Amino acid sequence: MKKNSVYDCSIIELDKHHSDRKGNISVIENNDTIPFEAKRVYYLYDVPGGEARGSHAHKELSQLIIAVSGSFSVTLDDG
């Protein structure tokens, strides 16, 4: 079994489909847009600026992280 590392991470560009009357939509599909099957979806919001989330390990996980509004930093360490 291959051991993944932080070097296996990548940025995925999501297609934006635009309509002048109806706005924009981006679609995420398992094993197509993202190279894995999403088993859980969760949303973090209203996190105060400067606060940290996480600080724990995921030993076997594929994850897509999207900033819907605002921005955040992600620190990866496979050490």
Side-chain angles (χ1 to χ4, degrees), residues 11-67:
I11 294 175
I12 296 173
E13 297 289 335
L14 299 177
D15 291 337
K16 178 173 78 171
H17 304 276
H18 174 74
S19 167
D20 287 333
R21 296 182 312 139
K22 299 179 182 180
N24 301 316
I25 186 170
S26 293
V27 178
I28 299 169
E29 295 180 297
N30 288 339
N31 299 308
D32 184 20
T33 315
I34 56 175
F36 56 89
E37 183 177 332
K39 295 182 179 178
R40 178 185 305 161
V41 176
Y42 57 93
Y43 302 88
L44 299 175
Y45 51 92
D46 296 336
V47 177
E51 290 300 315
R53 296 276 318 186
S55 301
H56 58 280
H58 292 273
K59 295 187 180 203
E60 294 183 24
L61 175 71
S62 294
Q63 200 169 44
L64 173 68
I65 303 170
I66 301 172

Side-chain angles (χ1 to χ4, degrees), residues 64-76:
L64 173 68
I65 303 170
I66 301 172
V68 176
S69 177
S71 63
F72 54 84
S73 298
V74 176
T75 302
L76 304 173

Side-chain angles (χ1 to χ4, degrees), residues 5-10 63 65 73-79:
S5 78
V6 296
Y7 299 106
D8 295 310
C9 296
S10 63
Q63 200 169 44
I65 303 170
S73 298
V74 176
T75 302
L76 304 173
D77 180 358
D78 63 359

